[in-house]
Amino acid sequence: MNQKMYKIAVIPGDGTGPEVVAEGLKVLDAVSRKFAFRYETKIFDFSGRRYRETGKIVEDSDIEKLRQYSAIFLGAVGDPEVKPGILEKGVLLKIRFSLDQYINLRPVKLYNAKFCPLKNKGPKDIDFVVVRENTEGLYKGMGEFKDKDTKDEVAIQISYNTHRGVERCIRYAFEYCRRRNKKKKVTLCGKTNVLTYAWDLWERVFYAVAREYPDIQTDYAHVDATCMWMVKNPEWFDVIVTDNMFGDIITDLGAMIQGGMGIAAGGNINPEGVSMFEPIGGSAPKYTGKNVINPLAAICALGMLLENIGEHKAAQAVEDAVIKVVQKKLKSLSAGKMGYSTQEVGDLVVSFL
Ligand code: IPM
Ligand code: MN
């Protein structure tokens, strides 16, 4: 018996979050038996409902508690009855920033050509990873209003990029690319032709770091062109590194070409600290409580969590089981069209483990 005891903080969150988290935990239970590791979970209720009832979101004391965990498993953030921005900033961004989860790692991997909206593209063409900077850029929240609520109003939103922040992100991308050992190519996705401060820094740091990785090929694409290539020639990509805002945008496009939000997972990673894993699809209020949402994104996030805590075989087993479910069972990856309920899809993954 593996002597390690993992402590997993679980944040079911809003909407369909609790339903997909339940399936993730079902898979965790099964895989822990198979690979003989021990874990304990603790539920943290950072939901819209709790906010509406108590006015509380994530507090500094909660962050201190989260620091004690091996990893965090998050369902979804977003409640239609709470003004947009409050939970996003107060839960998701608060945790990302406070725990310095400076990488947002988003694999874009197609498991079944049938679920790809692109003509003539299959699993061998769509297999790359986006490394999104996760603590700076436009998300830093810097800016101001001048002459608010007058016709002279100016709203300023600053993209804040530090050499240290950019370098650690780019270095992570190169290291990840080397470990991944596929096409061995890192593409910088930016906008050097217009955003001439931020992307000047990114470009300088990118090529400086690249010199330390002679085994890895470099490439550059503007963000608009990146969107074009992701649709036209996704097979060109291996690892894409980009800033917070561009990474947010291109990973929704990435989710679509890998089969949709039902399968897209991501990790908010602090390589030296506590990381958080989540399906990237959101809380899907209209499907809440109906047992129709696809839990595979959450299960893939759980797989990424296992990889992160060092249970590599368990992580691989989860991915292999998900691949079987996607290749052999599901009619669609979209909510309500899978041919199975949320819970049945969780059971299918367990059955293939
Ligand atoms: C994501 C989401 C978040 C982001 C929102 C909910 C704050 O869109 O994880 O991609 O913009 O980062
Ligand atoms: Mn997003």
Side-chain angles (χ1 to χ4, degrees):
M1 179 63 131
N2 193 333
Q3 284 313 299
K4 263 190 228 154
M5 172 65 132
Y6 301 109
K7 293 178 67 179
I8 316 283
V10 179
I11 306 174
D14 302 308
T16 51
E19 292 168 65
V20 298
V21 157
E23 299 315 302
L25 294 178
K26 190 192 273 177
V27 172
L28 176 60
D29 178 59
V31 88
S32 73
R33 291 165 201 273
K34 187 168 159 104
F35 293 94
F37 64 83
R38 295 186 304 147
Y39 70 95
E40 59 186 32
T41 55
K42 183 168 167 56
I43 305 277
F44 287 82
D45 178 19
F46 301 136
S47 62
R49 190 196 44 76
R50 171 171 171 266
Y51 173 73
R52 285 188 271 110
E53 286 168 7
T54 66
K56 285 190 173 169
I57 30 180
V58 178
E59 292 169 359
D60 292 337
S61 58
D62 297 319
I63 296 292
E64 291 318 308
K65 287 187 196 126
L66 290 173
R67 278 187 210 286
Q68 312 303 315
Y69 285 80
S70 318
I72 305 167
F73 185 39
L74 171 79
V77 171
D79 179 338
E81 287 172 58
V82 176
K83 191 172 159 239
I86 294 182
L87 296 171
E88 290 81 350
K89 274 195 182 154
V91 179
L92 197 55
L93 299 183
K94 170 91 182 182
I95 297 173
R96 286 178 183 171
F97 284 41
S98 306
L99 295 179
D100 203 21
Q101 294 166 338
Y102 61 87
I103 298 298
N104 196 322
L105 187 68
R106 297 190 163 179
V108 178
K109 196 166 174 184
L110 176 66
Y111 292 138
N112 184 339
K114 156 168 119 178
F115 301 132
C116 181
L118 306 179
K119 214 195 288 172
N120 303 326
K121 298 292 177 191
K124 67 173 190 335
D125 302 304
I126 299 175
D127 181 4
F128 61 92
V129 171
V130 178
V131 174
R132 163 185 174 188
E133 201 291 321
N134 211 30
T135 53
E136 298 191 339
L138 284 165
Y139 279 67
K140 188 82 177 171
M142 287 175 75
E144 62 176 313
F145 296 112
K146 289 184 174 147
D147 301 317
K148 195 170 182 192
D149 293 325
T150 73
K151 296 273 183 203
D152 296 319
E153 178 164 352
V154 183
I156 300 172
Q157 190 87 47
I158 291 173
S159 175
Y160 180 92
N161 301 265
T162 65
H163 188 291
R164 279 195 182 79
V166 170
E167 182 174 350
R168 65 185 183 174
C169 175
I170 289 175
R171 194 172 290 285
Y172 185 91
F174 277 93
E175 287 291 334
Y176 191 88
C177 184
R178 187 178 266 171
R179 255 186 291 141
R180 185 172 145 82
N181 199 22
K182 290 199 172 164
K183 291 187 203 84
K184 294 256 199 149
K185 175 166 139 186
V186 180
T187 304
L188 177 67
C189 162
K191 193 71 188 176
T192 54
N193 53 349
V194 178
L195 307 179
T196 50
Y197 296 104
W199 290 98
D200 189 277
L201 171 62
W202 274 84
E203 199 179 32
R204 275 182 281 123
V205 175
F206 181 71
Y207 289 109
V209 172
R211 276 199 292 277
E212 298 171 36
Y213 298 85
D215 51 319
I216 293 168
Q217 198 192 327
T218 57
D219 197 4
Y220 171 83
H222 294 318
V223 60
D224 46 351
T226 302
C227 292
M228 174 182 71
W229 298 126
M230 278 172 69
V231 170
K232 201 167 179 291
N233 296 100
E235 66 279 7
W236 287 356
F237 296 116
D238 180 20
V239 173
I240 297 178
V241 62
T242 191
D243 78 355
N244 211 338
M245 185 80 259
F246 292 168
D248 177 47
I249 298 167
I250 69 170
T251 53
D252 266 31
L253 176 56
M256 287 303 119
I257 67 172
Q258 75 184 111
M261 287 301 181
I263 190 82
N268 301 275
I269 295 172
N270 176 343
E272 299 89 36
V274 182
S275 302
M276 173 167 71
F277 298 85
E278 51 170 340
I280 74 174
S283 58
K286 74 173 182 184
Y287 298 119
T288 300
K290 300 202 161 79
N291 198 18
V292 295
I293 195 80
N294 188 345
L296 288 181
I299 293 168
C300 289
L302 193 258
M304 293 179 75
L305 183 156
L306 291 168
E307 177 70 34
N308 180 263
I309 61 177
E311 291 297 325
H312 306 290
K313 283 190 189 138
Q316 191 59 56
V318 170
E319 189 187 10
D320 291 344
V322 168
I323 292 175
K324 286 197 183 115
V325 172
V326 171
Q327 290 184 344
K328 296 182 198 252
K329 296 286 181 184
L330 301 195
K331 281 199 267 182
S332 160
L333 297 179
S334 306
K337 299 178 186 151
M338 300 183 290
Y340 298 89
S341 69
T342 303
Q343 290 173 348
E344 285 169 341
V345 174
D347 292 340
L348 284 172
V349 174
V350 169
S351 74
F352 281 117
L353 273 174

